[in-house]
Amino acid sequence: MSDSTAYEGALADYFAGNATDGPYNAHTDRPAMLALAGDVRGLRVLDVGCGAGHYIAELRARGAAEVVGVEGSATLLDHARDRTGADPAVTLHRHDLEEPLTFLPDDSFDLCVVALVHHHLDARRELLAELHRVLRPGGTLLLSTVHPTADWVWHGGSYFDEDRVVTRFGDSGTTNSYRRMTMQTFLNELLDTGLVLERLVEPRATEAARQVDEARYRKTHQTPFFVAVRMRKVQEKPWVEEGRA
Ligand SMILES: C[S@@+](CC[C@H](N)C(=O)[O-])C[C@H]1O[C@@H](n2cnc3c(N)ncnc32)[C@H](O)[C@@H]1O
């Protein structure tokens, strides 16, 4: 099973630092996801597994009207609170993402962001169904995860293994666990929700990462690390409405 409090203590503090200026989170995943987001001015955003609040701060700086963050780790929520200060447009909830988002109404968000989170969960399909429910028609889901090829290169064995793996977390001296999946599983679970795929990117580190860690910068330019997608909740088609009448 996944553990909503896995990112506590030393791992949480290490992750928060990494997400601030690390080559992978700050300079590979986040710039790619924010580029996929485009213009967020005036949007109501849900940040699922918001961690230390880096996306929340960035989205608000780019003009998002309101951001709701959901996170299982108390330590990371403290970091998120420190980062977003007393911003009245930010609301933070402690919640286990293995459970439904019952505290969030239907059709209530323009944009849902799920950055490097859903591979930690066993209830991936259930979470995706919940995100479809809370997105307004026409709304956007941005989701990133570990690239299936990166997992295969790292863990070996069969590309098609979908087991839960335990990995060393950078130089933190700690580990965390997540469930690997094939590209087929990753994409089909998303498409099964009814969301439509608009864009897929395999991000490489930006130039800023060179200053931080040249070796890891180069690595992301040779081996895929993450995959990120932009999905759209389409308006119900008129003929579906007619069929229901
Ligand atoms: C790699 S971090 C990404 C954080 C943030 N999205 C970012 O990119 O900066 C994964 C996050 O998922 C959260 N998480 C993992 N499993 C969870 C669960 N079952 N319930 C709630 N949060 C969970 C962790 O606490 C952590 O904040």
Side-chain angles (χ1 to χ4, degrees):
M1 270 301 278
S2 82
D3 177 3
S4 63
T5 62
Y7 281 70
E8 291 290 9
L11 176 56
D13 293 333
Y14 176 83
F15 174 75
N18 234 16
T20 300
D21 204 21
Y24 301 138
N25 293 86
H27 300 304
T28 306
D29 172 68
R30 203 157 62 240
M33 288 278 274
L34 290 169
L36 281 177
D39 185 357
V40 299
R41 283 175 297 175
L43 300 188
R44 184 159 196 265
V45 184
L46 175 65
D47 185 354
V48 179
C50 64
H54 291 83
Y55 271 94
I56 297 177
E58 194 65 51
L59 289 161
R60 283 286 293 143
R62 291 167 184 234
E66 198 184 333
V67 187
V68 175
V70 180
E71 170 55 49
S73 157
T75 315
L76 285 176
L77 277 176
D78 285 344
H79 280 282
R81 248 174 240 112
D82 289 348
R83 178 155 287 101
T84 57
D87 186 344
V90 173
T91 313
L92 300 173
H93 294 269
R94 187 164 185 209
H95 178 73
D96 183 354
L97 292 168
E98 298 287 4
E99 302 297 328
L101 302 168
T102 45
F103 52 96
L104 299 175
D106 295 358
D107 301 342
S108 52
F109 291 95
D110 302 299
L111 170 66
C112 291
V113 175
V114 189
L116 304 176
V117 174
H118 98 310
H119 51 282
H120 288 294
L121 306 178
D122 290 323
R124 284 197 312 256
R125 281 183 177 275
E126 290 81 354
L127 175 67
L128 295 175
E130 280 291 83
L131 298 180
H132 186 274
R133 177 182 68 76
V134 303
L135 270 178
R136 67 161 175 78
T140 305
L141 170 68
L142 297 183
L143 187 143
S144 60
T145 193
V146 182
H147 198 293
T149 309
D151 275 332
W152 187 31
V153 168
W154 182 253
H155 297 286
S158 166
Y159 168 80
F160 296 100
D161 282 346
E162 297 199 326
D163 50 340
R164 184 167 278 280
V165 291
V166 176
T167 53
R168 184 166 47 82
F169 200 87
D171 308 320
S172 69
T174 61
T175 58
N176 75 352
S177 92
Y178 63 89
R179 194 167 279 283
R180 51 182 174 157
M181 65 196 105
T182 61
M183 187 62 84
Q184 173 176 300
T185 297
F186 169 64
L187 281 178
N188 285 340
E189 284 181 3
L190 284 161
L191 294 169
D192 285 348
T193 62
L195 294 165
V196 169
L197 176 64
E198 280 191 349
R199 202 80 192 156
L200 181 149
V201 294
E202 296 168 306
R204 285 170 256 183
T206 60
E207 277 302 306
R210 267 188 200 274
Q211 318 306 321
V212 180
D213 190 329
E214 171 92 29
R216 286 185 167 132
Y217 166 88
R218 284 176 188 278
K219 216 166 157 187
T220 71
H221 284 254
Q222 287 165 358
T223 310
F225 258 71
F226 302 130
V227 55
V229 289
R230 185 175 68 221
M231 314 283 302
R232 177 90 47 211
K233 178 170 171 176
V234 288
Q235 302 277 353
E236 280 192 306
K237 309 245 181 345
W239 56 88
V240 174
E241 288 298 315
E242 281 164 20
R244 280 186 184 164

